[in-house]
Amino acid sequence: LNGVAWQRNEHGNMFVTTDGHRLTALDNGLGSDGDPISVIIPKGAVAWLVAHSKTNTDVVIRGMEASFVCGSTVLTAKLIDSTYPDWRRILPSFEGDPFLAVTVKRERLMEAVVRVCIDNEYMAVKLHGIDGQLWVERKSAKAKAFADWPTNGADKHPGFNATYLRSTLIGNGPMRIVQ
């Protein structure tokens, strides 16, 4: 899967990508102006956009082509002619909604992951709520990540590969974990 799926419908814009091990889904929170869209933007075009779009980017979809206008520069890319896998089916649902959102201080979660994986970074870790707080746990260790955990999410226990989770945590500012 070498691209980013862009799906726009009456609920908004969703961007989804995966490398076969990790899946990232982003709802940009903007409205859904225009017709519904379901396209796959190639990886090369996405890399170019990340490197060159410092401001708003206008997007024009015509058939199997997308044009991205960044200031005075225009990139036209051929869209991937395929259907993106139904990624929502692999996510567990929570009361009919596949997302359970928890806002976490990145550095606190990173500290907790490092603490439980101090002797082996390739371990699987489990996140779960205890008394309204987020805990990171593996079979032989447990650490608190100092985050509020919704009490209605107490039965959710997402598991992660610790290496992938740590690579996601590299960066600045708060993060939002969405299961």
Side-chain angles (χ1 to χ4, degrees), residues 5-161:
W6 175 16
Q7 300 167 346
R8 180 173 68 196
N9 58 31
E10 67 275 2
H11 303 295
N13 290 284
M14 182 67 74
F15 299 88
V16 183
T17 189
T18 181
D19 65 0
H21 298 278
R22 298 168 275 196
L23 181 134
T24 300
L26 171 70
D27 179 350
N28 72 355
L30 299 176
S32 58
D33 296 341
D35 295 330
I37 293 174
S38 184
V39 297
I40 303 174
I41 304 166
K43 186 167 73 171
V46 173
W48 185 90
L49 285 166
V50 169
H52 294 90
S53 67
K54 306 298 182 220
T55 61
N56 289 342
T57 301
D58 292 323
V59 181
V60 178
I61 305 285
R62 277 187 232 100
M64 289 306 296
E65 275 189 0
S67 295
F68 304 94
V69 182
C70 303
S72 62
T73 307
V74 178
L75 168 72
T76 300
K78 181 180 182 298
L79 298 170
I80 296 175
D81 188 13
S82 184
T83 302
Y84 206 79
D86 186 2
W87 59 274
R88 291 178 188 266
R89 287 186 343 143
I90 65 168
L91 298 176
S93 73
F94 178 69
E95 296 175 3
D97 185 356
F99 299 110
L100 168 66
V102 179
T103 302
V104 178
K105 289 191 177 192
R106 183 184 308 270
E107 63 277 357
R108 296 291 184 131
L109 182 55
M110 178 67 111
E111 289 170 9
V113 171
V114 168
R115 222 173 307 138
V116 298
C117 298
I118 195 78
D119 59 341
N120 187 344
E121 67 181 70
Y122 300 105
M123 300 293 291
V125 295
K126 179 171 71 170
L127 305 182
H128 62 100
I130 297 176
D131 297 327
Q133 294 202 335
L134 175 64
W135 287 76
V136 179
E137 178 180 17
R138 72 170 210 212
K139 224 172 191 171
S140 62
K142 187 186 290 188
K144 190 190 286 188
F146 303 102
D148 292 331
W149 186 263
T151 54
N152 64 352
D155 63 333
K156 299 295 254 184
H157 305 288
F160 297 93
N161 175 299

